Amino acid sequence: MEKIIQFSSKTVVLAVNDIDTDQIIPARYLTVTTKDGLGEGLFADWRFDESGEKVEEFPLNQEKSSGCSILVAGSNFGCGSSREHAPWALVDYGFKAILSTSFADIFKNNALKNGLLPLSISKEFHRMLIENEGTEITISLEKMTIESSNGMTETFDLEPFSRYCLMNGVDQLGFIMKHEDQINAFENKG
Amino acid sequence: MVLQETEETPAILYIDLHLIHEVTTPQAFQSLRDQGFSVRDPNKVLATMDHSTPTLPVKSLRDLDIVAEKGPADQIRDMIRNCEEFGIELHGFDSDKRGIVHVIGPELGATQPGKTIVCGDSHTSTHGAFGALAFGIGTTEVGHVLASQCLLQRKPRTLAVNMNGALKSGVSAKDIILRIIQKLGVDGGVGHVIEYRGSTASILSLEERMTICNMSIEAGARAGMFAPDDKTFNYLIDKPMSPKGLAWDQAVEKWSTLVSDDNCEFDKEIDIDVDHLSPMITYGTNPGMAIQIDDIVPESNSDLGYKKSLNYMQIEAGRPLLGKEIDVVFIGSCTNSRISDLEDAAEILQGQKVANGIRALIVPGSQAVKKEAESLGLDKIFESAGAEWRESGCSMCLGMNGDTVGNGQLAVSTSNRNFEGRQGKGARTILASPKTAAASAIAGSVEDPRKYS
Ligand code: SF4
């Protein structure tokens, strides 16, 4: 896994609360056995109309969002199904971070295991980002800050173990496997 | 618990039962292969096929290509191959134990009080009805559990839902949970495990408790649970995987201690008045957007997306939903596909006809439920009413297997999610109990089941 220390991007804004994982990637894209190419299904029913044409006013379809790797979304992002296809699709499309006032638990967990940062930010900072789409921001995992080009700085919390794994590019399973003796002991205890 | 959590690292939690299905496991098995891991304990894995599995009869794998599209068929073949390769027993097409993963766990007695249970599926919360700690995980974590039988976890917060009173005729457990989600909101439970308590808790059957725990996730909660009691033990006593003989007595003794202390404090509490509860239905595109069946749809609030949601549903604020014409009725899913749910529907459909032009699809939660329903003659009641009766599976709950609600069609569904397009591209969903769904099938429009009780 790639190490994540710091990166910058302009933002794209999706100002909708409770975006569920069925919207992030509809179920008909889940009949796959690999992670490849899921970006194609990202927000499929919002990005494309019935005839498969791009919906022009949808934020991700606009010229100015091209190359953006940071998505700003409404509260409770990623609610619903546990499908990890949701973060896979977001990553495959090119996103590295989602900023919101809150996230659903399973989505947050899944995102962190795929190098996608689900960062909870204050209502004020969130409002500023919603009102100023395209703000250039820099996220630092080292400093735990989000700096915006208009001079505002926001700090965020991140579960320390996930942060460690992301910054060092290591897989979480390694930590469990290091405790095999304890797992054996636990099993033998019955 | 293998290892306690510290500030730097989460706890390593031992998993007693791992449920798997075909949609959220292929990439996990592949990662085991890539890293050279085996499955640590295949006996702790319960494998079935439900999500993309056809509900039309499949006698042999050759039939699969006739009734299923290529994607789902390939996924099912992949599941069969993976289970063979890693030594896991799969309840496939030829097994009479096959069914929706959250229906068969309890039915087989694999779900037991005090167990830690996970599945790559958010409705794993269902199993909390037995006093198990059960929650959904992602595919990466499915890989962790397959390889190590363990999962990394932080301690959750606690939420008490105090339910008091008894259900009135025509009102069901589904209405209780829709009321709870309406009250908590779809994010009110985030970071929490719910304990359902109060005078109602002990009156509810295990099937009703499962319906309630099932939708804990729709309030954002990690898990939901009821304290185990005599009803729990009576449910489990003759199940195939339950302990037997002396082991049973010891288990019951241990399980009986799994109750919260009388004076324990919860991080959050809400109260639900069950005595005065009416049937509930949803009007929007998340399960929290619910009303009593005879109420009007609330005027738009300031929520981002509220208008978008009503536009999608083609539902107007300020108007009632009762009497609104529908196209489809779906009775099934891990929320409401057990025998008592089907009996509820049959009681209303008996001697009645599904309204002209309405498609009514009734899908049992497991092959065992199907068999039991048929032995009670419920299939005959459904078919003579004009409803379709199928093999078990998730079916129209998420529309992966070809059973979908058409574009723009409106469905009354006993499933758990009314998200945009959940039941098929462009499908619109009203969530309700099996009783409300059955009454609506007869009327051809949203109907109050109390008319039939
Ligand atoms: S019935 Fe629906 S909610 Fe339940 S496991 Fe299947 S797809 Fe998920």
Side-chain angles (χ1 to χ4, degrees), chain A residues 99-110:
Chain A
L99 307 189
S100 171
T101 48
S102 61
F103 291 89
D105 289 324
I106 307 179
F107 175 82
K108 185 153 86 181
N109 236 324
N110 286 341

Side-chain angles (χ1 to χ4, degrees), chain B residues 50-51 100-102 121 123 214 333-334 394 397-398 416 422:
Chain B
D50 50 8
H51 281 66
I100 303 174
V101 67
H102 310 307
D121 194 284
H123 293 100
N214 174 273
S333 90
C334 57
C394 296
C397 173
L398 92 165
N416 41 51
R422 167 78 179 183

Side-chain angles (χ1 to χ4, degrees), chain B residues 166-172 175 274-275 277-279 344 347-348 433 435-436 448-453:
Chain B
L167 286 167
K168 292 269 169 340
S169 165
V171 189
S172 319
D175 302 312
V274 176
D275 273 333
L277 188 69
S278 300
D344 277 357
E347 207 174 293
I348 291 179
S433 71
K435 291 179 186 176
T436 304
D448 192 328
R450 289 173 296 193
K451 252 194 159 170
Y452 293 87
S453 56

Side-chain angles (χ1 to χ4, degrees), chain B residues 128-148:
Chain B
F130 292 80
L133 176 63
F135 52 92
I137 56 176
T139 298
T140 301
E141 290 177 324
V142 168
H144 293 179
V145 179
L146 287 172
S148 70

Side-chain angles (χ1 to χ4, degrees), chain B residues 329-343:
Chain B
V329 167
F330 172 60
I331 298 176
S333 90
C334 57
T335 315
N336 283 126
S337 64
R338 284 168 282 267
I339 195 71
S340 57
D341 301 311
L342 301 181
E343 284 172 331

